[in-house]
Amino acid sequence: MASDSQQLPSRGPYIGVITNRTTNLVIRGAMLLSVGVFLALVLNLLQIQRNVTLFPPDVISSIFSSAWWVPPCCGTASAMIGLLYPCIDSRLGEPHKFKREWSSVMRCVAVFVGINHASAKVDFANNVQLSLTLAALSGGLWWTFDRSRSGFGLGVGIALLATLATQLLVHNGVFQYTSPDFLYIRSWLPCIFFAGVITMGNIGRQLAMYECKVVQEKTHQD
Protein backbone atom coordinates (compact mmCIF):
# COMPACT_ATOMS: atom_id res chain seq x y z
CA MET A 1 0.00 0.00 0.00
CA ALA A 2 2.78 2.38 0.88
CA SER A 3 4.50 1.81 -2.46
CA ASP A 4 1.21 2.37 -4.33
CA SER A 5 0.55 5.64 -2.50
CA GLN A 6 4.05 6.82 -3.33
CA GLN A 7 3.53 6.13 -7.04
CA LEU A 8 0.17 7.92 -7.34
CA PRO A 9 1.49 11.50 -6.99
CA SER A 10 3.94 10.93 -9.85
CA ARG A 11 0.97 10.54 -12.25
CA GLY A 12 -0.50 13.90 -11.37
CA PRO A 13 2.06 16.15 -13.11
CA TYR A 14 2.02 13.91 -16.20
CA ILE A 15 -1.75 14.16 -16.58
CA GLY A 16 -1.52 17.89 -15.88
CA VAL A 17 1.03 18.35 -18.65
CA ILE A 18 -1.16 16.48 -21.16
CA THR A 19 -4.15 18.61 -20.18
CA ASN A 20 -2.11 21.80 -20.47
CA ARG A 21 -0.80 20.80 -23.89
CA THR A 22 -4.29 20.09 -25.16
CA THR A 23 -5.55 23.40 -23.81
CA ASN A 24 -2.59 25.28 -25.26
CA LEU A 25 -3.14 23.59 -28.62
CA VAL A 26 -6.72 24.85 -28.69
CA ILE A 27 -5.60 28.33 -27.60
CA ARG A 28 -2.91 28.43 -30.28
CA GLY A 29 -5.38 27.33 -32.91
CA ALA A 30 -7.86 30.01 -31.85
CA MET A 31 -5.18 32.71 -31.91
CA LEU A 32 -3.96 31.66 -35.35
CA LEU A 33 -7.55 31.56 -36.59
CA SER A 34 -8.12 35.12 -35.34
CA VAL A 35 -4.92 36.40 -36.96
CA GLY A 36 -5.83 34.72 -40.24
CA VAL A 37 -9.33 36.20 -40.26
CA PHE A 38 -8.02 39.68 -39.50
CA LEU A 39 -5.35 39.57 -42.20
CA ALA A 40 -7.85 38.19 -44.70
CA LEU A 41 -10.23 41.08 -44.07
CA VAL A 42 -7.54 43.74 -44.37
CA LEU A 43 -5.71 42.27 -47.37
CA ASN A 44 -8.85 41.38 -49.27
CA LEU A 45 -10.06 44.93 -48.79
CA LEU A 46 -6.86 46.16 -50.47
CA GLN A 47 -7.47 43.85 -53.43
CA ILE A 48 -11.11 44.91 -53.83
CA GLN A 49 -10.28 48.63 -53.62
CA ARG A 50 -7.69 48.14 -56.36
CA ASN A 51 -10.26 46.15 -58.41
CA VAL A 52 -7.88 43.17 -58.49
CA THR A 53 -10.58 40.85 -57.15
CA LEU A 54 -14.20 41.10 -58.25
CA PHE A 55 -17.11 39.39 -56.50
CA PRO A 56 -20.60 39.12 -57.92
CA PRO A 57 -22.93 41.93 -56.70
CA ASP A 58 -25.10 39.56 -54.67
CA VAL A 59 -22.05 38.20 -52.85
CA ILE A 60 -20.65 41.56 -51.73
CA SER A 61 -22.82 41.90 -48.66
CA SER A 62 -20.63 41.27 -45.66
CA ILE A 63 -17.87 42.93 -43.64
CA PHE A 64 -15.48 45.13 -45.65
CA SER A 65 -17.30 44.21 -48.90
CA SER A 66 -15.84 40.72 -48.81
CA ALA A 67 -17.57 37.40 -49.43
CA TRP A 68 -18.57 35.98 -46.06
CA TRP A 69 -16.68 32.72 -46.56
CA VAL A 70 -13.28 34.26 -47.33
CA PRO A 71 -12.19 35.24 -43.77
CA PRO A 72 -13.26 31.93 -42.14
CA CYS A 73 -11.50 29.92 -44.86
CA CYS A 74 -8.32 31.97 -44.54
CA GLY A 75 -8.50 31.77 -40.74
CA THR A 76 -8.91 27.99 -40.81
CA ALA A 77 -6.03 27.61 -43.26
CA SER A 78 -3.87 29.90 -41.09
CA ALA A 79 -4.60 27.80 -38.00
CA MET A 80 -3.73 24.58 -39.82
CA ILE A 81 -0.49 26.03 -41.20
CA GLY A 82 0.52 27.56 -37.87
CA LEU A 83 -0.02 24.24 -36.09
CA LEU A 84 1.59 22.18 -38.86
CA TYR A 85 4.94 23.99 -38.98
CA PRO A 86 6.11 23.25 -35.39
CA CYS A 87 4.71 19.72 -35.73
CA ILE A 88 6.83 19.09 -38.84
CA ASP A 89 9.87 20.59 -37.09
CA SER A 90 9.34 18.16 -34.22
CA ARG A 91 8.88 15.18 -36.54
CA LEU A 92 12.06 16.00 -38.44
CA GLY A 93 13.97 16.57 -35.23
CA GLU A 94 15.04 20.00 -36.45
CA PRO A 95 13.77 22.63 -34.02
CA HIS A 96 13.60 26.01 -35.71
CA LYS A 97 15.80 28.48 -33.80
CA PHE A 98 16.45 31.18 -36.41
CA LYS A 99 15.35 34.60 -35.12
CA ARG A 100 13.01 33.21 -32.48
CA GLU A 101 11.60 36.38 -30.95
CA TRP A 102 8.31 38.21 -31.28
CA SER A 103 9.91 41.31 -32.77
CA SER A 104 11.14 39.22 -35.71
CA VAL A 105 7.68 37.67 -36.14
CA MET A 106 6.03 41.10 -36.19
CA ARG A 107 8.51 42.30 -38.81
CA CYS A 108 7.66 39.24 -40.89
CA VAL A 109 3.95 40.12 -40.69
CA ALA A 110 4.75 43.70 -41.72
CA VAL A 111 6.75 42.52 -44.73
CA PHE A 112 3.92 40.18 -45.73
CA VAL A 113 1.41 43.02 -45.60
CA GLY A 114 3.83 45.14 -47.61
CA ILE A 115 4.10 42.47 -50.31
CA ASN A 116 0.30 42.35 -50.56
CA HIS A 117 0.16 46.15 -50.66
CA ALA A 118 2.68 46.16 -53.51
CA SER A 119 0.64 43.65 -55.50
CA ALA A 120 -2.46 45.82 -55.13
CA LYS A 121 -1.12 49.38 -55.29
CA VAL A 122 2.11 49.50 -57.28
CA ASP A 123 1.76 49.78 -61.05
CA PHE A 124 4.16 47.56 -63.00
CA ALA A 125 4.80 47.54 -66.74
CA ASN A 126 3.38 44.02 -67.11
CA ASN A 127 2.34 40.97 -65.10
CA VAL A 128 5.67 39.24 -65.73
CA GLN A 129 7.58 42.06 -64.06
CA LEU A 130 5.11 42.06 -61.15
CA SER A 131 5.37 38.29 -60.74
CA LEU A 132 9.17 38.32 -60.75
CA THR A 133 9.26 41.17 -58.25
CA LEU A 134 6.84 39.46 -55.86
CA ALA A 135 8.71 36.16 -56.25
CA ALA A 136 11.93 37.91 -55.21
CA LEU A 137 10.21 39.60 -52.26
CA SER A 138 8.61 36.36 -51.12
CA GLY A 139 11.90 34.51 -51.39
CA GLY A 140 13.57 37.30 -49.47
CA LEU A 141 10.93 37.00 -46.74
CA TRP A 142 11.71 33.29 -46.38
CA TRP A 143 15.47 33.92 -46.34
CA THR A 144 15.17 36.73 -43.79
CA PHE A 145 12.74 35.12 -41.32
CA ASP A 146 12.88 31.35 -41.89
CA ARG A 147 15.76 29.76 -43.87
CA SER A 148 14.58 26.21 -43.08
CA ARG A 149 14.22 23.53 -45.75
CA SER A 150 11.00 22.31 -44.18
CA GLY A 151 9.60 25.83 -44.20
CA PHE A 152 10.46 26.33 -47.85
CA GLY A 153 9.08 22.93 -48.90
CA LEU A 154 5.81 23.40 -47.03
CA GLY A 155 5.51 26.94 -48.34
CA VAL A 156 5.86 25.86 -51.96
CA GLY A 157 3.56 22.85 -51.57
CA ILE A 158 0.77 24.71 -49.79
CA ALA A 159 1.07 27.67 -52.19
CA LEU A 160 0.57 25.36 -55.17
CA LEU A 161 -2.45 23.68 -53.56
CA ALA A 162 -3.96 27.06 -52.66
CA THR A 163 -3.43 28.30 -56.22
CA LEU A 164 -5.16 25.21 -57.61
CA ALA A 165 -8.09 25.71 -55.24
CA THR A 166 -8.34 29.35 -56.32
CA GLN A 167 -8.39 28.32 -59.98
CA LEU A 168 -11.29 25.95 -59.29
CA LEU A 169 -13.24 28.67 -57.48
CA VAL A 170 -12.72 31.19 -60.28
CA HIS A 171 -13.57 28.59 -62.92
CA ASN A 172 -16.88 27.92 -61.13
CA GLY A 173 -17.71 31.63 -61.07
CA VAL A 174 -17.45 32.20 -57.32
CA PHE A 175 -15.32 35.31 -58.00
CA GLN A 176 -12.91 36.55 -60.63
CA TYR A 177 -9.67 38.46 -61.13
CA THR A 178 -9.33 41.43 -63.41
CA SER A 179 -6.91 40.84 -66.29
CA PRO A 180 -6.06 37.21 -65.44
CA ASP A 181 -2.94 35.98 -67.21
CA PHE A 182 -2.60 32.41 -65.95
CA LEU A 183 -5.55 29.99 -66.05
CA TYR A 184 -8.21 32.47 -64.84
CA ILE A 185 -5.98 33.99 -62.12
CA ARG A 186 -3.01 36.30 -61.72
CA SER A 187 0.40 34.67 -62.16
CA TRP A 188 1.75 36.32 -59.01
CA LEU A 189 -0.83 34.66 -56.74
CA PRO A 190 1.44 31.71 -55.72
CA CYS A 191 4.01 34.23 -54.45
CA ILE A 192 1.40 35.81 -52.18
CA PHE A 193 0.34 32.39 -50.89
CA PHE A 194 3.97 31.40 -50.27
CA ALA A 195 4.65 34.57 -48.28
CA GLY A 196 1.46 34.02 -46.27
CA VAL A 197 2.41 30.44 -45.44
CA ILE A 198 5.86 31.49 -44.23
CA THR A 199 4.32 34.25 -42.12
CA MET A 200 1.73 32.02 -40.44
CA GLY A 201 4.36 29.32 -39.97
CA ASN A 202 6.56 31.76 -38.08
CA ILE A 203 3.68 32.83 -35.86
CA GLY A 204 2.80 29.20 -35.17
CA ARG A 205 6.40 28.33 -34.33
CA GLN A 206 6.69 31.24 -31.93
CA LEU A 207 3.46 30.31 -30.15
CA ALA A 208 4.60 26.68 -29.91
CA MET A 209 7.96 27.71 -28.43
CA TYR A 210 6.18 29.81 -25.81
CA GLU A 211 3.93 26.84 -24.97
CA CYS A 212 6.95 24.57 -24.49
CA LYS A 213 8.49 27.02 -22.05
CA VAL A 214 5.28 27.23 -20.02
CA VAL A 215 4.86 23.45 -19.90
CA GLN A 216 8.49 22.94 -18.85
CA GLU A 217 8.18 25.51 -16.08
CA LYS A 218 5.00 23.89 -14.73
CA THR A 219 6.59 20.44 -14.92
CA HIS A 220 9.59 21.58 -12.87
CA GLN A 221 7.31 23.23 -10.33
CA ASP A 222 5.25 20.03 -9.90
Side-chain angles (χ1 to χ4, degrees):
M1 294 295 292
S3 60
D4 293 339
S5 62
Q6 292 176 355
Q7 292 177 357
L8 288 176
S10 63
R11 297 175 59 189
Y14 177 77
I15 296 175
V17 169
I18 296 299
T19 303
N20 289 334
R21 285 177 178 174
T22 302
T23 303
N24 289 333
L25 184 65
V26 174
I27 293 175
R28 279 195 288 140
M31 294 178 66
L32 290 165
L33 177 68
S34 301
V35 173
V37 169
F38 175 76
L39 289 177
L41 289 171
V42 174
L43 299 178
N44 198 43
L45 177 61
L46 288 175
Q47 301 290 338
I48 292 175
Q49 286 182 339
R50 182 65 171 175
N51 290 326
V52 174
T53 306
L54 296 178
F55 291 92
D58 56 335
V59 176
I60 305 178
S61 58
S62 57
I63 301 176
F64 295 123
S65 298
S66 171
W68 66 269
W69 48 267
V70 173
C73 289
C74 292
T76 302
S78 299
M80 294 176 62
I81 293 168
L83 296 176
L84 180 62
Y85 261 70
C87 179
I88 295 298
D89 292 339
S90 177
R91 293 285 184 178
L92 295 177
E94 299 177 356
H96 188 260
K97 298 181 179 180
F98 181 70
K99 290 190 176 182
R100 294 292 86 209
E101 64 272 347
W102 278 111
S103 59
S104 176
V105 174
M106 295 308 296
R107 287 195 296 270
C108 181
V109 174
V111 173
F112 171 59
V113 174
I115 292 175
N116 278 269
H117 188 270
S119 68
K121 296 294 184 181
V122 179
D123 291 323
F124 288 85
N126 50 60
N127 285 326
V128 174
Q129 183 179 359
L130 173 58
S131 299
L132 293 176
T133 300
L134 293 183
L137 292 175
S138 300
L141 183 143
W142 168 79
W143 179 257
T144 304
F145 300 104
D146 191 314
R147 295 191 187 182
S148 66
R149 291 175 296 178
S150 60
F152 183 84
L154 282 174
V156 172
I158 296 174
L160 293 177
L161 290 176
T163 302
L164 177 60
T166 303
Q167 288 180 346
L168 294 176
L169 291 174
V170 174
H171 179 68
N172 291 324
V174 178
F175 65 96
Q176 63 182 8
Y177 285 93
T178 57
S179 303
D181 62 317
F182 178 70
L183 296 178
Y184 310 109
I185 63 172
R186 294 293 189 92
S187 57
W188 44 260
L189 194 60
C191 303
I192 298 296
F193 284 139
F194 176 80
V197 171
I198 298 300
T199 301
M200 296 310 303
N202 274 345
I203 296 175
R205 281 167 166 166
Q206 190 66 21
L207 290 173
M209 187 179 70
Y210 178 76
E211 174 196 338
C212 290
K213 289 182 179 179
V214 172
V215 171
Q216 290 175 358
E217 291 176 357
K218 289 185 177 181
T219 304
H220 290 318
Q221 291 175 359
D222 293 335

